[in-house]
mmCIF file of all heavy atoms in Angstrom:
data_model
loop_
_atom_site.group_PDB
_atom_site.id
_atom_site.type_symbol
_atom_site.label_atom_id
_atom_site.label_comp_id
_atom_site.label_asym_id
_atom_site.label_seq_id
_atom_site.Cartn_x
_atom_site.Cartn_y
_atom_site.Cartn_z
ATOM 1 N N VAL A 1 -130.099 -48.295 -175.994
ATOM 2 C CA VAL A 1 -130.284 -47.252 -174.980
ATOM 3 C C VAL A 1 -128.952 -46.614 -174.595
ATOM 4 O O VAL A 1 -128.808 -45.387 -174.605
ATOM 5 C CB VAL A 1 -130.993 -47.819 -173.725
ATOM 6 C CG1 VAL A 1 -131.046 -46.765 -172.620
ATOM 7 C CG2 VAL A 1 -132.405 -48.270 -174.078
ATOM 8 N N ILE A 2 -127.950 -47.435 -174.269
ATOM 9 C CA ILE A 2 -126.680 -46.843 -173.834
ATOM 10 C C ILE A 2 -125.892 -46.303 -175.022
ATOM 11 O O ILE A 2 -125.159 -45.322 -174.904
ATOM 12 C CB ILE A 2 -125.831 -47.867 -173.038
ATOM 13 C CG1 ILE A 2 -124.683 -47.149 -172.320
ATOM 14 C CG2 ILE A 2 -125.311 -48.980 -173.941
ATOM 15 C CD1 ILE A 2 -123.884 -48.044 -171.396
ATOM 16 N N GLY A 3 -126.056 -46.921 -176.207
ATOM 17 C CA GLY A 3 -125.310 -46.476 -177.374
ATOM 18 C C GLY A 3 -125.942 -45.289 -178.065
ATOM 19 O O GLY A 3 -125.325 -44.237 -178.216
ATOM 20 N N HIS A 4 -127.207 -45.439 -178.486
ATOM 21 C CA HIS A 4 -127.853 -44.388 -179.268
ATOM 22 C C HIS A 4 -128.419 -43.258 -178.412
ATOM 23 O O HIS A 4 -128.412 -42.103 -178.828
ATOM 24 C CB HIS A 4 -128.981 -44.988 -180.116
ATOM 25 C CG HIS A 4 -129.643 -43.985 -181.008
ATOM 26 N ND1 HIS A 4 -128.985 -43.393 -182.063
ATOM 27 C CD2 HIS A 4 -130.894 -43.451 -180.992
ATOM 28 C CE1 HIS A 4 -129.810 -42.538 -182.666
ATOM 29 N NE2 HIS A 4 -130.965 -42.553 -182.037
ATOM 30 N N LEU A 5 -128.904 -43.577 -177.218
ATOM 31 C CA LEU A 5 -129.488 -42.535 -176.374
ATOM 32 C C LEU A 5 -128.463 -41.855 -175.474
ATOM 33 O O LEU A 5 -128.689 -40.741 -175.002
ATOM 34 C CB LEU A 5 -130.619 -43.110 -175.517
ATOM 35 C CG LEU A 5 -131.818 -43.697 -176.268
ATOM 36 C CD1 LEU A 5 -132.922 -44.091 -175.284
ATOM 37 C CD2 LEU A 5 -132.371 -42.708 -177.300
ATOM 38 N N LYS A 6 -127.324 -42.533 -175.213
ATOM 39 C CA LYS A 6 -126.334 -41.961 -174.296
ATOM 40 C C LYS A 6 -124.942 -41.804 -174.898
ATOM 41 O O LYS A 6 -124.119 -41.082 -174.350
ATOM 42 C CB LYS A 6 -126.226 -42.811 -173.030
ATOM 43 C CG LYS A 6 -127.452 -42.725 -172.138
ATOM 44 C CD LYS A 6 -127.202 -43.321 -170.768
ATOM 45 C CE LYS A 6 -126.111 -42.635 -170.030
ATOM 46 N NZ LYS A 6 -126.404 -41.209 -169.760
ATOM 47 N N GLY A 7 -124.649 -42.489 -175.988
ATOM 48 C CA GLY A 7 -123.344 -42.346 -176.618
ATOM 49 C C GLY A 7 -122.222 -43.079 -175.927
ATOM 50 O O GLY A 7 -121.079 -42.619 -175.923
ATOM 51 N N ALA A 8 -122.503 -44.234 -175.335
ATOM 52 C CA ALA A 8 -121.473 -45.025 -174.651
ATOM 53 C C ALA A 8 -121.577 -46.484 -175.096
ATOM 54 O O ALA A 8 -122.651 -46.943 -175.518
ATOM 55 C CB ALA A 8 -121.622 -44.917 -173.137
ATOM 56 N N PRO A 9 -120.500 -47.253 -175.010
ATOM 57 C CA PRO A 9 -120.526 -48.652 -175.445
ATOM 58 C C PRO A 9 -121.070 -49.592 -174.375
ATOM 59 O O PRO A 9 -120.650 -49.523 -173.214
ATOM 60 C CB PRO A 9 -119.055 -48.957 -175.755
ATOM 61 C CG PRO A 9 -118.279 -48.007 -174.914
ATOM 62 C CD PRO A 9 -119.143 -46.799 -174.673
ATOM 63 N N ALA A 10 -121.970 -50.481 -174.776
ATOM 64 C CA ALA A 10 -122.525 -51.459 -173.841
ATOM 65 C C ALA A 10 -121.433 -52.380 -173.303
ATOM 66 O O ALA A 10 -121.455 -52.774 -172.131
ATOM 67 C CB ALA A 10 -123.615 -52.276 -174.530
ATOM 68 N N SER A 11 -120.461 -52.732 -174.148
ATOM 69 C CA SER A 11 -119.384 -53.631 -173.724
ATOM 70 C C SER A 11 -118.551 -53.008 -172.611
ATOM 71 O O SER A 11 -118.083 -53.700 -171.708
ATOM 72 C CB SER A 11 -118.490 -53.968 -174.920
ATOM 73 O OG SER A 11 -118.008 -52.785 -175.539
ATOM 74 N N TRP A 12 -118.350 -51.701 -172.671
ATOM 75 C CA TRP A 12 -117.599 -50.992 -171.630
ATOM 76 C C TRP A 12 -118.346 -51.057 -170.302
ATOM 77 O O TRP A 12 -117.771 -51.353 -169.253
ATOM 78 C CB TRP A 12 -117.396 -49.537 -172.069
ATOM 79 C CG TRP A 12 -117.019 -48.588 -170.989
ATOM 80 C CD1 TRP A 12 -115.794 -48.466 -170.393
ATOM 81 C CD2 TRP A 12 -117.865 -47.609 -170.371
ATOM 82 N NE1 TRP A 12 -115.829 -47.466 -169.439
ATOM 83 C CE2 TRP A 12 -117.087 -46.924 -169.410
ATOM 84 C CE3 TRP A 12 -119.193 -47.239 -170.550
ATOM 85 C CZ2 TRP A 12 -117.610 -45.901 -168.617
ATOM 86 C CZ3 TRP A 12 -119.718 -46.219 -169.771
ATOM 87 C CH2 TRP A 12 -118.928 -45.564 -168.823
ATOM 88 N N TRP A 13 -119.641 -50.792 -170.338
ATOM 89 C CA TRP A 13 -120.435 -50.833 -169.109
ATOM 90 C C TRP A 13 -120.435 -52.238 -168.521
ATOM 91 O O TRP A 13 -120.245 -52.414 -167.318
ATOM 92 C CB TRP A 13 -121.873 -50.382 -169.392
ATOM 93 C CG TRP A 13 -122.718 -50.313 -168.158
ATOM 94 C CD1 TRP A 13 -122.854 -49.266 -167.303
ATOM 95 C CD2 TRP A 13 -123.538 -51.370 -167.616
ATOM 96 N NE1 TRP A 13 -123.706 -49.597 -166.275
ATOM 97 C CE2 TRP A 13 -124.137 -50.866 -166.445
ATOM 98 C CE3 TRP A 13 -123.820 -52.676 -168.027
ATOM 99 C CZ2 TRP A 13 -124.996 -51.634 -165.668
ATOM 100 C CZ3 TRP A 13 -124.673 -53.441 -167.258
ATOM 101 C CH2 TRP A 13 -125.257 -52.918 -166.083
ATOM 102 N N ASN A 14 -120.646 -53.245 -169.369
ATOM 103 C CA ASN A 14 -120.655 -54.625 -168.885
ATOM 104 C C ASN A 14 -119.315 -54.993 -168.249
ATOM 105 O O ASN A 14 -119.269 -55.625 -167.183
ATOM 106 C CB ASN A 14 -120.950 -55.586 -170.038
ATOM 107 C CG ASN A 14 -122.378 -55.499 -170.528
ATOM 108 O OD1 ASN A 14 -123.278 -55.110 -169.789
ATOM 109 N ND2 ASN A 14 -122.596 -55.840 -171.782
ATOM 110 N N HIS A 15 -118.238 -54.606 -168.900
ATOM 111 C CA HIS A 15 -116.894 -54.945 -168.423
ATOM 112 C C HIS A 15 -116.649 -54.403 -167.016
ATOM 113 O O HIS A 15 -116.127 -55.108 -166.142
ATOM 114 C CB HIS A 15 -115.851 -54.395 -169.390
ATOM 115 C CG HIS A 15 -114.437 -54.571 -168.936
ATOM 116 N ND1 HIS A 15 -113.817 -55.799 -168.910
ATOM 117 C CD2 HIS A 15 -113.520 -53.675 -168.477
ATOM 118 C CE1 HIS A 15 -112.579 -55.663 -168.452
ATOM 119 N NE2 HIS A 15 -112.375 -54.380 -168.182
ATOM 120 N N LEU A 16 -117.027 -53.145 -166.787
ATOM 121 C CA LEU A 16 -116.789 -52.526 -165.483
ATOM 122 C C LEU A 16 -117.815 -52.940 -164.438
ATOM 123 O O LEU A 16 -117.471 -53.260 -163.300
ATOM 124 C CB LEU A 16 -116.792 -50.999 -165.631
ATOM 125 C CG LEU A 16 -115.670 -50.372 -166.455
ATOM 126 C CD1 LEU A 16 -115.836 -48.868 -166.517
ATOM 127 C CD2 LEU A 16 -114.303 -50.737 -165.889
ATOM 128 N N HIS A 17 -119.084 -52.952 -164.848
ATOM 129 C CA HIS A 17 -120.145 -53.135 -163.868
ATOM 130 C C HIS A 17 -120.220 -54.571 -163.352
ATOM 131 O O HIS A 17 -120.540 -54.788 -162.182
ATOM 132 C CB HIS A 17 -121.491 -52.740 -164.473
ATOM 133 C CG HIS A 17 -122.539 -52.443 -163.446
ATOM 134 N ND1 HIS A 17 -122.426 -51.390 -162.552
ATOM 135 C CD2 HIS A 17 -123.716 -53.061 -163.143
ATOM 136 C CE1 HIS A 17 -123.483 -51.368 -161.758
ATOM 137 N NE2 HIS A 17 -124.274 -52.375 -162.093
ATOM 138 N N PHE A 18 -119.896 -55.533 -164.175
ATOM 139 C CA PHE A 18 -119.930 -56.925 -163.717
ATOM 140 C C PHE A 18 -118.804 -57.186 -162.719
ATOM 141 O O PHE A 18 -118.957 -57.989 -161.796
ATOM 142 C CB PHE A 18 -119.831 -57.889 -164.900
ATOM 143 C CG PHE A 18 -121.043 -57.867 -165.797
ATOM 144 C CD1 PHE A 18 -121.044 -58.544 -167.003
ATOM 145 C CD2 PHE A 18 -122.185 -57.171 -165.436
ATOM 146 C CE1 PHE A 18 -122.162 -58.519 -167.827
ATOM 147 C CE2 PHE A 18 -123.308 -57.149 -166.246
ATOM 148 C CZ PHE A 18 -123.299 -57.828 -167.458
ATOM 149 N N GLN A 19 -117.661 -56.514 -162.894
ATOM 150 C CA GLN A 19 -116.588 -56.621 -161.900
ATOM 151 C C GLN A 19 -117.043 -56.034 -160.567
ATOM 152 O O GLN A 19 -116.758 -56.593 -159.497
ATOM 153 C CB GLN A 19 -115.339 -55.872 -162.381
ATOM 154 C CG GLN A 19 -114.655 -56.466 -163.570
ATOM 155 C CD GLN A 19 -113.432 -55.662 -163.964
ATOM 156 O OE1 GLN A 19 -112.410 -55.663 -163.264
ATOM 157 N NE2 GLN A 19 -113.517 -54.957 -165.083
ATOM 158 N N HIS A 20 -117.744 -54.898 -160.654
ATOM 159 C CA HIS A 20 -118.246 -54.256 -159.440
ATOM 160 C C HIS A 20 -119.182 -55.177 -158.680
ATOM 161 O O HIS A 20 -119.094 -55.308 -157.456
ATOM 162 C CB HIS A 20 -118.956 -52.956 -159.805
ATOM 163 C CG HIS A 20 -119.835 -52.417 -158.713
ATOM 164 N ND1 HIS A 20 -119.319 -51.901 -157.533
ATOM 165 C CD2 HIS A 20 -121.184 -52.333 -158.606
ATOM 166 C CE1 HIS A 20 -120.325 -51.518 -156.756
ATOM 167 N NE2 HIS A 20 -121.461 -51.764 -157.374
ATOM 168 N N HIS A 21 -120.095 -55.841 -159.377
ATOM 169 C CA HIS A 21 -121.054 -56.714 -158.699
ATOM 170 C C HIS A 21 -120.398 -57.980 -158.163
ATOM 171 O O HIS A 21 -120.857 -58.535 -157.160
ATOM 172 C CB HIS A 21 -122.198 -57.077 -159.648
ATOM 173 C CG HIS A 21 -123.342 -56.120 -159.575
ATOM 174 N ND1 HIS A 21 -124.438 -56.332 -158.762
ATOM 175 C CD2 HIS A 21 -123.557 -54.934 -160.193
ATOM 176 C CE1 HIS A 21 -125.283 -55.315 -158.890
ATOM 177 N NE2 HIS A 21 -124.768 -54.450 -159.753
ATOM 178 N N ALA A 22 -119.348 -58.432 -158.812
ATOM 179 C CA ALA A 22 -118.673 -59.643 -158.341
ATOM 180 C C ALA A 22 -117.919 -59.390 -157.040
ATOM 181 O O ALA A 22 -117.941 -60.226 -156.126
ATOM 182 C CB ALA A 22 -117.714 -60.154 -159.413
ATOM 183 N N LYS A 23 -117.257 -58.232 -156.952
ATOM 184 C CA LYS A 23 -116.441 -57.914 -155.775
ATOM 185 C C LYS A 23 -116.644 -56.451 -155.357
ATOM 186 O O LYS A 23 -115.726 -55.629 -155.449
ATOM 187 C CB LYS A 23 -114.954 -58.154 -156.082
ATOM 188 C CG LYS A 23 -114.581 -59.592 -156.370
ATOM 189 C CD LYS A 23 -114.618 -60.456 -155.110
ATOM 190 C CE LYS A 23 -114.133 -61.868 -155.396
ATOM 191 N NZ LYS A 23 -114.116 -62.702 -154.151
ATOM 192 N N PRO A 24 -117.823 -56.082 -154.904
ATOM 193 C CA PRO A 24 -118.065 -54.680 -154.550
ATOM 194 C C PRO A 24 -117.179 -54.214 -153.398
ATOM 195 O O PRO A 24 -117.017 -54.914 -152.405
ATOM 196 C CB PRO A 24 -119.545 -54.663 -154.150
ATOM 197 C CG PRO A 24 -119.842 -56.066 -153.725
ATOM 198 C CD PRO A 24 -118.987 -56.934 -154.607
ATOM 199 N N ASN A 25 -116.596 -53.020 -153.580
ATOM 200 C CA ASN A 25 -115.744 -52.376 -152.566
ATOM 201 C C ASN A 25 -114.475 -53.154 -152.252
ATOM 202 O O ASN A 25 -113.844 -52.921 -151.212
ATOM 203 C CB ASN A 25 -116.522 -52.113 -151.276
ATOM 204 C CG ASN A 25 -117.414 -50.887 -151.387
ATOM 205 O OD1 ASN A 25 -117.595 -50.332 -152.465
ATOM 206 N ND2 ASN A 25 -117.973 -50.464 -150.265
ATOM 207 N N CYS A 26 -114.092 -54.088 -153.126
ATOM 208 C CA CYS A 26 -112.831 -54.804 -152.947
ATOM 209 C C CYS A 26 -111.746 -54.088 -153.751
ATOM 210 O O CYS A 26 -111.803 -54.032 -154.985
ATOM 211 C CB CYS A 26 -112.951 -56.254 -153.414
ATOM 212 S SG CYS A 26 -113.987 -57.281 -152.351
ATOM 213 N N PHE A 27 -110.787 -53.529 -153.056
ATOM 214 C CA PHE A 27 -109.723 -52.752 -153.683
ATOM 215 C C PHE A 27 -108.972 -53.591 -154.713
ATOM 216 O O PHE A 27 -108.657 -54.750 -154.470
ATOM 217 C CB PHE A 27 -108.768 -52.243 -152.603
ATOM 218 C CG PHE A 27 -107.665 -51.371 -153.114
ATOM 219 C CD1 PHE A 27 -107.916 -50.367 -154.036
ATOM 220 C CD2 PHE A 27 -106.367 -51.550 -152.673
ATOM 221 C CE1 PHE A 27 -106.897 -49.550 -154.504
ATOM 222 C CE2 PHE A 27 -105.339 -50.737 -153.123
ATOM 223 C CZ PHE A 27 -105.602 -49.741 -154.052
ATOM 224 N N ARG A 28 -108.725 -52.998 -155.882
ATOM 225 C CA ARG A 28 -108.045 -53.596 -157.024
ATOM 226 C C ARG A 28 -108.907 -54.622 -157.761
ATOM 227 O O ARG A 28 -108.460 -55.203 -158.755
ATOM 228 C CB ARG A 28 -106.703 -54.235 -156.626
ATOM 229 C CG ARG A 28 -105.690 -53.220 -156.097
ATOM 230 C CD ARG A 28 -104.262 -53.718 -156.276
ATOM 231 N NE ARG A 28 -103.309 -52.693 -155.891
ATOM 232 C CZ ARG A 28 -102.562 -52.735 -154.796
ATOM 233 N NH1 ARG A 28 -102.661 -53.757 -153.977
ATOM 234 N NH2 ARG A 28 -101.702 -51.764 -154.529
ATOM 235 N N LYS A 29 -110.120 -54.867 -157.307
ATOM 236 C CA LYS A 29 -111.025 -55.767 -158.022
ATOM 237 C C LYS A 29 -112.326 -55.077 -158.416
ATOM 238 O O LYS A 29 -112.940 -55.456 -159.404
ATOM 239 C CB LYS A 29 -111.315 -57.018 -157.182
ATOM 240 C CG LYS A 29 -110.086 -57.910 -157.010
ATOM 241 C CD LYS A 29 -110.430 -59.253 -156.392
ATOM 242 C CE LYS A 29 -109.200 -60.144 -156.350
ATOM 243 N NZ LYS A 29 -109.480 -61.482 -155.766
ATOM 244 N N ASP A 30 -112.737 -54.088 -157.649
ATOM 245 C CA ASP A 30 -113.912 -53.297 -157.995
ATOM 246 C C ASP A 30 -113.435 -51.991 -158.630
ATOM 247 O O ASP A 30 -112.844 -51.146 -157.959
ATOM 248 C CB ASP A 30 -114.730 -52.995 -156.734
ATOM 249 C CG ASP A 30 -115.951 -52.146 -157.027
ATOM 250 O OD1 ASP A 30 -116.207 -51.836 -158.203
ATOM 251 O OD2 ASP A 30 -116.672 -51.785 -156.065
ATOM 252 N N PRO A 31 -113.684 -51.810 -159.939
ATOM 253 C CA PRO A 31 -113.202 -50.581 -160.602
ATOM 254 C C PRO A 31 -113.828 -49.305 -160.053
ATOM 255 O O PRO A 31 -113.280 -48.224 -160.244
ATOM 256 C CB PRO A 31 -113.595 -50.797 -162.073
ATOM 257 C CG PRO A 31 -114.661 -51.834 -162.048
ATOM 258 C CD PRO A 31 -114.381 -52.707 -160.871
ATOM 259 N N ASP A 32 -114.940 -49.421 -159.324
ATOM 260 C CA ASP A 32 -115.600 -48.227 -158.787
ATOM 261 C C ASP A 32 -114.834 -47.590 -157.633
ATOM 262 O O ASP A 32 -115.132 -46.458 -157.238
ATOM 263 C CB ASP A 32 -117.017 -48.566 -158.322
ATOM 264 C CG ASP A 32 -117.974 -48.756 -159.493
ATOM 265 O OD1 ASP A 32 -117.497 -48.744 -160.644
ATOM 266 O OD2 ASP A 32 -119.181 -48.911 -159.260
ATOM 267 N N VAL A 33 -113.858 -48.303 -157.068
ATOM 268 C CA VAL A 33 -113.055 -47.721 -155.981
ATOM 269 C C VAL A 33 -111.611 -47.500 -156.420
ATOM 270 O O VAL A 33 -110.701 -47.417 -155.593
ATOM 271 C CB VAL A 33 -113.103 -48.587 -154.700
ATOM 272 C CG1 VAL A 33 -114.503 -48.592 -154.124
ATOM 273 C CG2 VAL A 33 -112.620 -50.009 -154.968
ATOM 274 N N ASN A 34 -111.423 -47.375 -157.727
ATOM 275 C CA ASN A 34 -110.072 -47.179 -158.255
ATOM 276 C C ASN A 34 -109.501 -45.797 -157.948
ATOM 277 O O ASN A 34 -108.340 -45.539 -158.226
ATOM 278 C CB ASN A 34 -110.046 -47.400 -159.778
ATOM 279 C CG ASN A 34 -109.885 -48.864 -160.136
ATOM 280 O OD1 ASN A 34 -109.619 -49.696 -159.271
ATOM 281 N ND2 ASN A 34 -110.057 -49.191 -161.404
ATOM 282 N N MET A 35 -110.321 -44.882 -157.409
ATOM 283 C CA MET A 35 -109.790 -43.545 -157.093
ATOM 284 C C MET A 35 -108.970 -43.567 -155.808
ATOM 285 O O MET A 35 -108.373 -42.554 -155.439
ATOM 286 C CB MET A 35 -110.925 -42.518 -156.980
ATOM 287 C CG MET A 35 -111.978 -42.836 -155.962
ATOM 288 S SD MET A 35 -113.347 -43.692 -156.749
ATOM 289 C CE MET A 35 -114.653 -43.495 -155.540
ATOM 290 N N HIS A 36 -108.921 -44.684 -155.105
ATOM 291 C CA HIS A 36 -108.034 -44.843 -153.959
ATOM 292 C C HIS A 36 -106.717 -45.431 -154.455
ATOM 293 O O HIS A 36 -106.719 -46.418 -155.197
ATOM 294 C CB HIS A 36 -108.659 -45.793 -152.929
ATOM 295 C CG HIS A 36 -107.737 -46.141 -151.796
ATOM 296 N ND1 HIS A 36 -107.723 -45.433 -150.614
ATOM 297 C CD2 HIS A 36 -106.781 -47.098 -151.667
ATOM 298 C CE1 HIS A 36 -106.805 -45.945 -149.812
ATOM 299 N NE2 HIS A 36 -106.228 -46.960 -150.420
ATOM 300 N N PRO A 37 -105.559 -44.882 -154.055
ATOM 301 C CA PRO A 37 -105.365 -43.703 -153.201
ATOM 302 C C PRO A 37 -105.011 -42.441 -153.985
ATOM 303 O O PRO A 37 -104.569 -41.466 -153.399
ATOM 304 C CB PRO A 37 -104.175 -44.141 -152.361
ATOM 305 C CG PRO A 37 -103.333 -44.925 -153.341
ATOM 306 C CD PRO A 37 -104.307 -45.617 -154.274
ATOM 307 N N LEU A 38 -105.189 -42.464 -155.312
ATOM 308 C CA LEU A 38 -104.745 -41.339 -156.124
ATOM 309 C C LEU A 38 -105.437 -40.033 -155.732
ATOM 310 O O LEU A 38 -104.795 -38.994 -155.573
ATOM 311 C CB LEU A 38 -104.996 -41.636 -157.605
ATOM 312 C CG LEU A 38 -104.439 -40.608 -158.597
ATOM 313 C CD1 LEU A 38 -102.926 -40.473 -158.428
ATOM 314 C CD2 LEU A 38 -104.790 -40.992 -160.020
ATOM 315 N N PHE A 39 -106.773 -40.095 -155.559
ATOM 316 C CA PHE A 39 -107.524 -38.887 -155.224
ATOM 317 C C PHE A 39 -108.097 -38.914 -153.808
ATOM 318 O O PHE A 39 -108.161 -37.890 -153.141
ATOM 319 C CB PHE A 39 -108.666 -38.683 -156.220
ATOM 320 C CG PHE A 39 -108.203 -38.378 -157.609
ATOM 321 C CD1 PHE A 39 -108.445 -39.273 -158.638
ATOM 322 C CD2 PHE A 39 -107.504 -37.218 -157.887
ATOM 323 C CE1 PHE A 39 -108.011 -39.001 -159.922
ATOM 324 C CE2 PHE A 39 -107.070 -36.926 -159.163
ATOM 325 C CZ PHE A 39 -107.325 -37.828 -160.198
ATOM 326 N N PHE A 40 -108.548 -40.098 -153.375
ATOM 327 C CA PHE A 40 -109.211 -40.197 -152.083
ATOM 328 C C PHE A 40 -108.639 -41.347 -151.277
ATOM 329 O O PHE A 40 -108.173 -42.343 -151.829
ATOM 330 C CB PHE A 40 -110.724 -40.412 -152.276
ATOM 331 C CG PHE A 40 -111.372 -39.369 -153.133
ATOM 332 C CD1 PHE A 40 -111.791 -39.662 -154.420
ATOM 333 C CD2 PHE A 40 -111.568 -38.077 -152.655
ATOM 334 C CE1 PHE A 40 -112.379 -38.707 -155.221
ATOM 335 C CE2 PHE A 40 -112.161 -37.110 -153.441
ATOM 336 C CZ PHE A 40 -112.575 -37.422 -154.734
ATOM 337 N N ALA A 41 -108.708 -41.217 -149.960
ATOM 338 C CA ALA A 41 -108.344 -42.305 -149.053
ATOM 339 C C ALA A 41 -109.648 -42.965 -148.622
ATOM 340 O O ALA A 41 -110.409 -42.388 -147.856
ATOM 341 C CB ALA A 41 -107.573 -41.778 -147.853
ATOM 342 N N LEU A 42 -109.903 -44.167 -149.128
ATOM 343 C CA LEU A 42 -111.193 -44.818 -148.928
ATOM 344 C C LEU A 42 -111.111 -45.925 -147.887
ATOM 345 O O LEU A 42 -110.178 -46.722 -147.889
ATOM 346 C CB LEU A 42 -111.685 -45.408 -150.253
ATOM 347 C CG LEU A 42 -111.874 -44.415 -151.415
ATOM 348 C CD1 LEU A 42 -112.276 -45.166 -152.679
ATOM 349 C CD2 LEU A 42 -112.919 -43.377 -151.065
ATOM 350 N N GLY A 43 -112.100 -45.988 -147.024
ATOM 351 C CA GLY A 43 -112.199 -47.077 -146.070
ATOM 352 C C GLY A 43 -111.233 -46.939 -144.905
ATOM 353 O O GLY A 43 -110.130 -46.400 -145.046
#
Protein backbone atom coordinates (compact mmCIF):
# COMPACT_ATOMS: atom_id res chain seq x y z
CA VAL A 1 0.00 0.00 0.00
CA ILE A 2 2.63 2.57 0.97
CA GLY A 3 5.13 1.41 -1.67
CA HIS A 4 3.07 0.61 -4.76
CA LEU A 5 0.02 2.79 -4.13
CA LYS A 6 1.85 5.80 -2.65
CA GLY A 7 5.50 5.56 -3.71
CA ALA A 8 7.08 5.70 -0.24
CA PRO A 9 9.17 3.19 1.77
CA ALA A 10 7.51 1.28 4.60
CA SER A 11 10.80 1.28 6.54
CA TRP A 12 10.88 5.10 6.46
CA TRP A 13 7.35 5.36 7.84
CA ASN A 14 8.05 2.80 10.56
CA HIS A 15 11.28 4.54 11.56
CA LEU A 16 9.60 7.93 12.04
CA HIS A 17 6.17 6.92 13.23
CA PHE A 18 7.28 4.51 15.95
CA GLN A 19 9.45 7.27 17.44
CA HIS A 20 6.41 9.54 17.41
CA HIS A 21 4.28 7.01 19.29
CA ALA A 22 7.01 6.29 21.83
CA LYS A 23 7.53 9.95 22.77
CA PRO A 24 4.78 12.13 21.26
CA ASN A 25 5.46 15.89 21.39
CA CYS A 26 8.82 15.33 23.12
CA PHE A 27 11.32 17.72 21.55
CA ARG A 28 14.32 15.99 19.91
CA LYS A 29 12.64 12.59 20.32
CA ASP A 30 9.43 12.99 18.32
CA PRO A 31 10.37 13.67 14.66
CA ASP A 32 6.94 15.24 14.09
CA VAL A 33 7.96 18.34 16.07
CA ASN A 34 11.34 18.76 14.41
CA MET A 35 10.20 22.04 12.80
CA HIS A 36 10.87 23.74 16.16
CA PRO A 37 12.64 26.16 16.24
CA LEU A 38 13.71 26.39 12.60
CA PHE A 39 10.27 27.32 11.25
CA PHE A 40 7.89 27.46 14.21
CA ALA A 41 8.03 28.14 17.94
CA LEU A 42 6.11 25.20 19.40
CA GLY A 43 4.70 24.84 22.89
